[in-house]
Amino acid sequence: MTRSPTTAIPAHESQSRPRAALAGLLAAGAALGAGEFTAGLVRRFVSPIEAVAEEFIDVTPSSMEQWAIRTFGENDKLVLIVGAVVTVCLFGALLGLVSRRRPAIATGGVVLLGVVAATASVAFTGDVLSAVPSVVAVPAGLFALGLLTGHSPTVVAAPTSEHDDGATELPRAVTDRRWFLRTAAGVGAAAAAAAVVGRQIATRFSAVASRAAVILPGVRSPLPAPAPGVTLGVDGISPYYTPADEFYRVDTALSVPQVPTEGWTLRIHGMVDQERTYTYDELLARDLVEADITLTCVSNTVGGDLLGHARWTGIPLAELLDEAGVRPDADQVVGRSVDDWTGGFPVQAAYDRETLVVVGMNGEPLPIDRGFPARLIVPGLYGYVSATKWLQDIELTRFDQFDQYWVQRGWVADGTIKTQCRIDTPQPVNTIEPGPRQIGGVAWAQTRGISMVEVKVDDGPWEVAELGEQFNTTSWRQWRLPWDATPGAHRITVRATDGTGALQTDERTDPYPSDATGWHSLFVSVAG
């Protein structure tokens, strides 16, 4: 008797579970590959997996985000993307298993993935067209699933045939192992190729060429080179200037925004007398200034490495605000990035320190992953309230009318940087040789400066360390202390006093919600 074309294949005549799971996994891969390929075609299109991951970040509790930063550091975004891909593939494998008995449910599952991705794309960008790659991914996934499970419309919709002996002919996905393996390999290769090619095509939207064409003009009053004394010459201490490619990066962007200078503008609006808009060339035509500023992330743990120091080139924010005319009742400056991230800080901070709209870093145009073409730098404030990268919008508003991105997630609005000190050398991971050595590191208290660093070994007395020269109060300061290392395990502790005479607190706290506190300590093993 001929089987109805709409009847599912009985379980005893269907694929084995491993094959069905592999079919579903490859179908998910085909959907992802088609989505990535399509996303590379048009700038407005968005990668489905990135859109879902971005929305996941927005709904993730701050405690989980902090755990991810502490655990994975700058690799947290890569881990999230890989996790999202693995989750989709596992869901696809589950759908493959479901398709053995309920192909219609498996089909619905693929459609559901597309709907979720499309919804996330629109929510992330506010642009309906950004969901096109998610829509394209659905038929690609359905085709691959049907082909590899034998439930393809080309197989199921047509009447099945009977052999002369009356036995029903089953799809090759069920009966022919070699055919299945060859087809599975082809689907997998096609999915991978589509994803890679899509990513490569998308590079034409890169801002690399735009940045390479930028020639920074001279500055109004160039800063002198730091005196030799700012560097103490101790191996292992962080260099005074952090190379751009070694500077820490913590932000919410899963893929680095590509913002060519062509067509880019900076808008200043809100509680101002007159809205102003500046092109990139107009900013470069102004009198640029330089400032040496240490940046610190609020997520930095005691002794952590989420900080760096650079010479920044830019335009004083106060000049731009004065041209717009800040209204007296405005008390918050909100920077908004091209991906809609926001950071807010007091209006006063634009006037009482060297707050800049930055276009250069260490003498070069701002690197793309550090915020090209422009970003904000506010000395003395953590980046989560101030250091908007890929800047496109500055709004004057009030703290009681708007909460910026991280404040909405429970972080305090006052992002004043606390006094901290870090031991860079010796490191606790390796056993060191006994004898004379240097203990050294960096200390920072931006806008207040560092007046003293003290070091204690084991239960000994606090000893005053030698400080490198202080170039300004917005930069970190190197320190060192000679130490005669004796065999055994030793605990080294360091603390700093800022320029106002205030000693940093020894109370240990986690970064959330207002930065970690406490003295940095580590154990060192000396041979012998």
Side-chain angles (χ1 to χ4, degrees):
M1 181 177 181
T2 304
R3 179 183 290 107
S4 168
T6 60
T7 301
I9 299 171
H12 66 278
E13 296 178 348
S14 63
Q15 279 182 316
S16 66
R17 287 185 175 85
R19 264 204 251 179
L22 179 59
L25 186 151
L26 290 172
L32 291 175
E36 291 300 314
F37 179 81
T38 308
L41 299 178
V42 179
R43 183 185 291 275
R44 292 173 65 179
F45 291 172
V46 175
S47 159
I49 203 69
E50 287 189 5
V52 172
E54 290 281 6
E55 289 306 297
F56 178 80
I57 289 176
D58 282 347
V59 300
T60 299
S62 288
S63 57
M64 185 178 294
E65 290 180 287
Q66 290 309 301
W67 173 84
I69 293 173
R70 290 195 304 270
T71 305
F72 304 111
E74 295 186 23
N75 294 318
D76 59 338
K77 301 169 187 64
L78 175 61
V79 170
L80 177 58
I81 289 292
V82 171
V85 171
V86 170
T87 299
V88 171
C89 289
L90 289 177
F91 186 70
L94 177 62
L95 293 180
L97 291 172
V98 170
S99 71
R100 298 176 72 243
R101 293 176 178 269
R102 298 288 186 270
I105 294 178
T107 297
V110 175
V111 174
L112 176 63
L113 282 177
V115 171
V116 169
T119 302
S121 298
V122 176
F124 175 52
T125 64
D127 183 0
V128 174
L129 282 180
S130 67
V132 169
S134 300
V135 175
V136 171
V138 172
L142 290 176
F143 175 79
L145 182 65
L147 180 66
L148 293 170
T149 60
H151 295 299
S152 170
T154 59
V155 175
V156 178
T160 54
S161 62
E162 289 187 352
H163 295 298
D164 293 339
D165 59 4
T168 302
E169 181 181 349
L170 297 175
R172 295 183 71 183
V174 176
T175 61
D176 191 332
R177 180 173 178 272
R178 290 183 178 179
W179 178 90
F180 175 83
L181 292 177
R182 288 196 302 267
T183 305
V187 171
V196 171
V197 171
R199 287 287 181 173
Q200 287 297 115
I201 293 175
T203 59
R204 74 185 190 281
F205 302 132
S206 169
V208 171
S210 181
R211 179 180 181 271
V214 173
I215 300 177
L216 292 180
V219 300
R220 178 193 309 167
S221 300
L223 287 180
V230 301
T231 300
L232 296 175
V234 177
D235 289 341
I237 295 182
S238 302
Y240 187 68
Y241 289 112
T242 307
D245 60 353
E246 298 178 13
F247 214 90
Y248 77 95
R249 179 194 164 202
V250 176
D251 51 57
T252 62
L254 288 174
S255 59
V256 176
Q258 303 294 315
V259 189
T261 59
E262 301 79 16
W264 175 87
T265 59
L266 173 61
R267 175 189 179 212
I268 300 179
H269 66 109
M271 300 174 70
V272 296
D273 295 332
Q274 181 179 4
E275 182 175 317
R276 299 298 299 265
T277 301
Y278 302 90
T279 66
Y280 187 76
D281 288 340
E282 287 173 339
L283 291 181
L284 292 192
R286 303 178 69 94
D287 290 334
L288 303 182
V289 299
E290 292 180 322
D292 278 16
I293 302 170
T294 297
L295 293 188
T296 314
C297 180
V298 72
S299 299
N300 203 33
T301 55
V302 174
D305 59 0
L306 298 180
L307 76 156
H309 178 69
R311 176 161 290 186
W312 309 94
T313 303
I315 302 92
L317 176 61
E319 293 182 5
L320 303 180
L321 296 186
D322 284 344
E323 292 174 5
V326 180
R327 296 177 185 171
D329 51 344
D331 63 7
Q332 180 178 204
V333 177
V334 174
R336 181 172 280 102
S337 68
V338 296
D339 58 357
D340 212 33
W341 184 90
T342 55
F345 55 91
V347 170
Q348 186 61 31
Y351 291 92
D352 62 11
R353 62 197 74 186
E354 294 179 295
T355 296
L356 301 178
V357 174
V358 169
V359 294
M361 179 181 184
N362 291 338
E364 299 289 337
L366 196 62
I368 294 173
D369 59 352
R370 312 300 165 184
F372 180 84
R375 66 174 295 169
L376 285 168
I377 297 288
V378 185
L381 296 180
Y382 291 114
Y384 81 101
V385 300
S386 64
T388 307
K389 293 186 280 190
W390 311 292
L391 182 68
Q392 70 169 358
D393 185 285
I394 295 175
E395 181 181 3
L396 277 298
T397 181
R398 293 188 54 82
F399 281 100
D400 59 7
Q401 295 177 1
F402 181 79
D403 287 335
Q404 49 99 338
Y405 183 91
W406 286 112
V407 171
Q408 294 175 29
R409 287 153 180 78
W411 292 81
V412 298
D414 178 12
T416 300
I417 292 175
K418 297 178 175 64
T419 303
Q420 275 287 1
C421 195
R422 186 183 69 192
I423 303 167
D424 287 343
T425 185
Q427 287 289 311
V429 292
N430 298 320
T431 299
I432 63 175
E433 294 299 317
R437 8 186 359 103
Q438 297 280 348
I439 303 172
V442 289
W444 60 94
Q446 290 90 314
T447 72
R448 303 181 303 279
I450 295 294
S451 63
M452 183 169 63
V453 169
E454 299 169 280
V455 181
K456 181 170 69 171
V457 179
D458 300 323
D459 294 323
W462 287 102
E463 299 182 68
V464 177
E466 177 188 355
L467 291 174
E469 290 188 29
Q470 183 166 274
F471 185 71
N472 59 28
T473 60
T474 61
S475 300
W476 60 13
R477 204 167 180 184
Q478 292 189 359
W479 60 268
R480 69 181 178 187
L481 180 76
W483 176 44
D484 186 13
T486 57
H490 300 280
R491 181 177 183 175
I492 303 173
T493 306
V494 65
R495 66 185 187 185
T497 300
D498 71 15
T500 70
L503 175 67
Q504 73 174 106
T505 178
D506 63 342
E507 180 184 0
R508 278 275 185 159
T509 62
D510 291 329
Y512 183 81
S514 61
D515 188 29
T517 61
W519 298 340
H520 186 207
S521 293
L522 53 79
F523 286 94
V524 175
S525 179
V526 181

